[in-house]
Amino acid sequence: GAVVSQHPSRVICKSGTSVKIECRSLDFQATTMFWYRQFPKQSLMLMATSNEGSKATYEQGVEKDKFLINHASLTLSTLTVTSAHPEDSSFYICSAATPGPSSSPLHFGNGTRLTVT
Amino acid sequence: AQSVTQLGSHVSVSEGALVLLRCNYSSSVPPYLFWYVQYPNQGLQLLLKYTSAATLVKGINGFEAEFKKSETSFHLTKPSAHMSDAAEYFCALRGNQGGKLIFGQGTELSVKP
């Protein structure tokens, strides 16, 4: 149980275009989803926390107008990288929290490798 | 503030040898601690979690970790390494505000034949 599906797994786009990444909880309802960014050989950096039906909470230094997050339902959150530039190339990973206390683990998608040319 | 520190960004062991990956945490409240494994170009897979029920926690793939409050540690061990264990390992703490995971820097485990 507790499967998180992330799509696409890999995307290449031209500079200036926008890219949407989807994160779905397949067998549970996720009231909260988290978006992370990971640079090569580094740890995961939390970008934002998204709660169903409300605005996302962005971490300090993350541009909310550039990284648009929508959590329209209990099973779907999307991250849109707007006007992408080569420096946005990275590995993006979403995770979802199963309902319950903070002792519950987060479940992760398989990540999206974004390359901006 | 809560934080996680993993000692050693890279650990190399021989196949069949003991694996020990170190993790120390800082938290003003009882922590919820997790170990995750990441294979190249993939997401994170939960290995095990500590939620105060027992200090010695057994996980998948033969891994276990022991919570030591006096040492603020949660080291990950496996008695005998397999080639398939080569991956990146992350220790994480679930915060008491907003439920986000706070990650350590990660430790890359290499297994030599």
Side-chain angles (χ1 to χ4, degrees):
Chain A
V3 177
V4 175
S5 174
Q6 188 173 339
H7 180 80
S9 58
R10 189 179 296 269
V11 59
I12 301 172
C13 71
K14 292 186 183 297
S15 185
T17 61
S18 295
V19 173
K20 180 184 284 189
I21 302 169
E22 292 188 348
C23 180
R24 295 181 184 271
S25 56
L26 297 186
D27 50 1
F28 65 99
Q29 294 184 328
T31 53
T32 304
M33 289 187 175
F34 303 88
W35 287 95
Y36 291 85
R37 181 173 181 176
Q38 186 179 32
F39 292 101
K41 301 293 185 182
Q42 293 189 27
S43 188
L44 283 75
M45 180 189 78
L46 180 66
M47 299 175 66
T49 301
S50 90
N51 292 293
E52 186 266 338
S54 63
K55 290 184 178 180
T57 303
Y58 290 81
E59 295 298 302
Q60 191 172 8
V62 178
E63 298 177 61
K64 60 181 67 177
D65 293 331
K66 180 165 190 62
F67 298 101
L68 299 179
I69 291 172
N70 185 287
H71 194 157
S73 77
L74 286 172
T75 59
L76 174 64
S77 176
T78 60
L79 167 67
T80 301
V81 183
T82 63
S83 187
H85 290 281
E87 56 266 31
D88 298 325
S89 298
S90 192
F91 193 57
Y92 294 87
I93 309 175
C94 72
S95 69
T98 50
S102 291
S103 56
S104 301
L106 297 187
H107 303 278
F108 287 82
N110 276 333
T112 297
R113 172 74 59 193
L114 171 62
T115 303
V116 185
T117 61
Chain B
Q2 296 173 309
S3 66
V4 177
T5 302
Q6 290 181 241
L7 300 176
S9 59
H10 185 251
V11 170
S12 181
V13 301
S14 297
E15 192 173 19
L18 171 71
V19 175
L20 171 61
L21 304 182
R22 300 177 187 275
C23 172
N24 287 88
Y25 69 91
S26 173
S27 177
S28 57
V29 298
Y32 301 117
L33 295 163
F34 308 87
W35 274 100
Y36 286 87
V37 61
Q38 183 181 34
Y39 297 99
N41 293 309
Q42 292 189 26
L44 277 66
Q45 180 183 8
L46 179 69
L47 280 177
L48 50 78
K49 63 179 181 179
Y50 168 73
T51 59
S52 78
T55 56
L56 183 62
V57 181
K58 293 188 183 299
I60 63 171
N61 301 338
F63 285 94
E64 63 182 36
E66 186 172 9
F67 174 75
K68 292 186 177 180
K69 184 178 179 180
S70 61
E71 299 177 7
T72 61
S73 69
F74 189 55
H75 302 332
L76 181 71
T77 61
K78 181 173 181 177
S80 176
H82 290 255
M83 297 297 292
S84 60
D85 294 327
E88 188 83 19
Y89 291 80
F90 292 97
C91 181
L93 181 156
R94 185 115 188 244
N96 55 8
Q97 294 179 357
K100 62 185 179 183
L101 271 180
I102 300 166
F103 283 94
Q105 301 89 327
T107 298
E108 182 181 4
L109 174 66
S110 299
V111 182
K112 299 174 292 186

